[in-house]
Amino acid sequence: MKLALIIFGALSVAFLGALFFAVYTIFVMKKETMENNDIDEMTGLRNRDGFMRAGKEMLEHNHNRSDGEIALIVFDVDKLRLINTLFGTDEGDKVVCAFADTIKSIAGKGDVVGRVDTDDFALLTKLHGKTSTEIADGFGKMLPTLIANSSVCEQLNFYAGVCVYDGHDDIYTLFNKANLCLLTHSDNQRVSEFTHEMENRMVENEIMRSEMLDALKNGQFELYYQPKVLFKTGEIMGVEALIRWHHPVKGFVPPCDFIPLAEQFGIITKIDEWGLFTACRQGKKWHDMGLRSIVISVNMSQAQFVRTDVYATVLSALTETGFDPKQLEIEVTETMAMTDVEHTVSVLNKIHELGVSISMDDFGTGYSSLASLKTIPFDVLKIDRSLVCDVNDNDTSRRITSAIVAMGKALKMVVLAEGVETNEQSKLLTDLGCDLAQGYYYSKPRPANEITEMLTVYMDGEEAI
Ligand code: C2E
Ligand code: CA
Ligand code: CA
């Protein structure tokens, strides 16, 4: 009996021990997996989840800020996508790792560091009497030394958004506030600190977002059309569709006040789709009225290419409206043609095969994208207004314009000058060999019915412009 009890006791102890060991092993394994899931493979830093978890703990420990002030700094690698495109992803990866190493080296003991997005890093740091700008400046000094031998060094830039912990925010709010600085900073401001004014602007932007959606539903948008004319004869060859917003309270809101916001909020894809269908419908109407056959160009934002199937949209706009593809033109910008080149090139080629022409907008403002001129089937090159406006007074502008015209011609493109405002500009640009003109000298953008009148006058044999 005694022996049985001893054996039973021993077995129980062994069983409980095994059970404890199993539970402990599962716990440790789970913890390890969780920790591994918290790590960004490329840099070895915490990823977004890991950063939030560790950041939450740090804030909890410093709830009463007994250890001094804490700030959250988000560092944004400027134009990482462009670096990847221009120099290759290996160089892009080096930049990312240099950012990671720099942040690690400026972080103090107990600070939390993470790679929170492909091109964003975050640092939750004790300020120790420093200002957040001083910390970000330290980062800016250190960064180039870690990537000194790389060809991307000259392109290297960053922006930092800072929010000082007020003792109340949770880690997510603190992070969102620092991030908001990155969304609202100006290009010449490297470090910007969160203010309540920014928060107000965020609220205003949110109102704007819902107003834009309402505007789409309630028909507050209208397309105006600006003529594109032959320099030599003044004949209208086409029009550019430009959006106008008739706001019920604010009145007229110019595109520069809402297009960038619409891009930021992703509404631009809806707006551009509306613009494309509206322009095609109008073009078909003019065609059915037997008016002079003109090309209508429509602006397409970058988001349209990144987030939607532009080819399918263009195809359905043409099919549903019955507009002739040869009368449709899509305007894309230089910088856009540089982003995600492979995808953009293949989509634009497919659209081009439908018979639609492709025009490079604002040429001469962004990066010089000679490579994309080779790969993208551009039919039209639009010389930017900034070159045209001082072409008569500035020798450099004249030379650049002349070189662009020569290049466009060599590549068999139609060259258009944007923003022609004076007779002198018109004469010089004609001499330089530009084919088409667009600008206030010829006509401002006008509502559809005024263009109908112009085209009708044309049919009656009079000069329209
Ligand atoms: P953009 O594509 O470069 O369009 C030309 C802009 O220059 C238009 O401004 C036009 O009114 C203006 N402009 C034309 N001739 C002259 C001139 O002689 N002098 C001056 N100073 N300006 C002239 P707008 O209509 O205010 O549009 C501004 C920008 O908004 C456009 O620049 C385009 O980037 C964007 N945008 C307009 N409509 C749409 C749209 O439907 N979708 C998208 N994604 N963007 C649009
Ligand atoms: Ca345009
Ligand atoms: Ca333009």
Side-chain angles (χ1 to χ4, degrees):
M1 182 64 188
K2 211 172 175 185
L3 186 68
L5 273 176
I6 289 170
I7 292 172
F8 178 73
L11 279 176
S12 303
V13 169
F15 176 74
L16 283 174
L19 192 66
F20 176 75
F21 182 72
V23 169
Y24 178 75
T25 311
I26 289 169
F27 174 75
V28 169
M29 275 170 61
K30 219 175 157 188
K31 190 160 186 275
E32 263 175 18
T33 327
M34 192 179 79
E35 277 171 2
N36 285 340
N37 285 342
D38 278 358
I39 298 299
D40 169 58
E41 258 181 45
M42 189 194 293
T43 59
L45 295 180
R46 290 187 166 87
N47 58 21
R48 180 186 280 251
D49 285 349
F51 177 83
M52 293 302 178
R53 241 189 290 276
K56 186 168 176 264
E57 270 177 35
M58 182 170 167
L59 290 189
E60 277 165 6
H61 285 131
N62 290 280
H63 176 58
N64 52 9
R65 288 180 288 171
S66 50
D67 279 358
E69 278 198 313
I70 295 178
L72 197 154
I73 311 180
V74 182
F75 294 91
D76 170 55
V77 188
D78 188 31
K79 301 197 182 73
L80 181 59
R81 247 183 125 112
L82 196 63
I83 290 174
N84 280 332
T85 310
L86 291 176
F87 299 96
T89 44
D90 282 352
E91 290 299 310
D93 290 354
K94 272 191 215 164
V95 170
V96 168
C97 290
F99 264 71
D101 292 342
T102 311
I103 294 182
K104 268 189 245 169
S105 66
I106 62 163
K109 193 166 168 274
D111 288 358
V112 180
V113 181
R115 184 183 181 199
V116 289
D117 208 340
T118 327
D119 53 358
D120 285 337
F121 293 83
L123 168 68
L124 187 63
T125 183
K126 288 187 194 133
L127 290 173
H128 295 301
K130 282 193 199 160
T131 67
S132 40
T133 308
E134 282 166 347
I135 295 179
D137 283 347
F139 175 88
K141 284 199 189 101
M142 173 89 66
L143 180 65
T145 63
L146 292 184
I147 198 157
N149 297 325
S150 168
S151 46
V152 299
C153 208
E154 276 185 15
Q155 299 285 332
L156 214 56
N157 190 21
F158 75 93
Y159 292 101
V162 179
C163 186
V164 177
Y165 179 50
D166 61 2
H168 304 292
D169 285 341
D170 61 23
I171 183 72
Y172 297 98
T173 314
L174 191 60
F175 178 76
N176 285 341
K177 284 181 175 175
N179 230 356
L180 183 63
C181 306
L182 290 177
L183 294 175
T184 51
H185 76 90
S186 60
D187 277 356
N188 52 14
Q189 188 185 15
R190 236 182 183 188
V191 184
S192 62
E193 195 165 319
F194 174 81
T195 60
H196 286 289
E197 198 246 316
M198 276 180 193
E199 209 164 25
N200 296 341
R201 210 177 316 149
M202 192 167 73
V203 173
E204 278 167 24
N205 287 352
E206 184 49 36
I207 294 172
M208 193 80 154
R209 195 183 81 88
S210 70
E211 283 182 346
M212 277 190 269
L213 289 172
D214 285 349
L216 271 174
K217 257 193 267 153
N218 305 330
Q220 292 164 15
F221 289 127
E222 182 185 357
L223 285 186
Y224 271 38
Y225 299 87
Q226 185 175 33
K228 298 179 176 184
V229 309
L230 260 187
F231 263 116
K232 286 200 174 125
T233 61
E235 284 171 86
I236 304 185
M237 306 305 284
V239 287
E240 174 175 7
L242 294 157
I243 197 162
R244 300 291 177 256
W245 182 4
H246 306 286
H247 191 282
V249 181
K250 293 179 199 152
F252 173 75
V253 184
C256 57
D257 283 1
F258 69 90
I259 295 281
L261 278 178
E263 278 171 351
Q264 196 178 312
F265 296 135
I267 302 177
I268 192 70
T269 53
K270 289 196 176 79
I271 293 179
D272 280 354
E273 231 170 274
W274 171 86
L276 178 67
F277 274 79
T278 309
C280 288
R281 222 174 286 125
Q282 183 61 57
K284 176 74 165 99
K285 222 180 195 175
W286 282 327
H287 174 268
D288 290 348
M289 288 165 83
L291 299 174
R292 179 189 173 84
S293 166
I294 55 164
V295 172
I296 301 186
S297 48
V298 175
N299 290 284
M300 278 282 153
S301 72
Q302 182 174 345
Q304 205 71 26
F305 284 83
V306 178
R307 298 198 209 121
T308 71
D309 185 348
V310 194
Y311 171 74
T313 315
V314 170
L315 188 60
S316 68
L318 290 167
T319 324
E320 281 179 37
T321 60
F323 189 46
D324 181 357
K326 293 214 163 43
Q327 288 184 258
L328 179 65
E329 186 171 283
I330 303 288
E331 292 195 6
V332 297
T333 59
E334 250 187 289
T335 21
M336 192 177 128
M338 304 277 304
T339 322
D340 209 348
V341 179
E342 243 170 72
H343 175 67
T344 313
V345 170
S346 93
V347 175
L348 285 174
N349 270 311
K350 271 167 65 185
I351 294 176
H352 197 243
E353 278 162 20
L354 292 173
V356 175
S357 25
I358 313 289
S359 156
M360 180 175 266
D361 205 357
D362 305 341
F363 192 76
T365 49
Y367 287 82
S368 174
S369 44
L370 299 179
S372 61
L373 283 182
K374 212 170 70 182
T375 46
I376 295 178
F378 286 113
D379 304 282
V380 181
L381 200 60
K382 296 186 79 176
I383 305 177
D384 191 63
R385 203 168 68 215
S386 56
L387 284 170
V388 171
C389 72
D390 60 1
V391 73
N392 291 84
D393 318 310
N394 183 316
D395 205 34
T396 312
S397 291
R398 189 178 53 77
R399 281 164 198 262
I400 294 175
T401 307
S402 172
I404 295 178
V405 175
M407 187 185 62
K409 291 284 148 118
L411 295 170
K412 298 198 166 44
M413 292 182 211
V414 169
V415 180
L416 181 148
E418 283 193 285
V420 181
E421 291 185 350
T422 66
N423 187 27
E424 291 71 39
Q425 287 168 352
S426 164
K427 274 192 188 140
L428 179 54
L429 291 159
T430 312
D431 290 346
L432 291 178
C434 286
D435 306 296
L436 293 178
Q438 184 182 344
Y440 295 167
Y441 178 63
Y442 295 94
S443 168
K444 290 203 167 188
R446 301 173 185 229
N449 62 333
E450 289 184 23
I451 300 289
T452 310
E453 271 170 38
M454 274 179 157
L455 295 173
T456 312
V457 172
Y458 233 111
M459 294 306 286
D460 295 344
E462 281 179 44
E463 282 266 326
I465 292 176

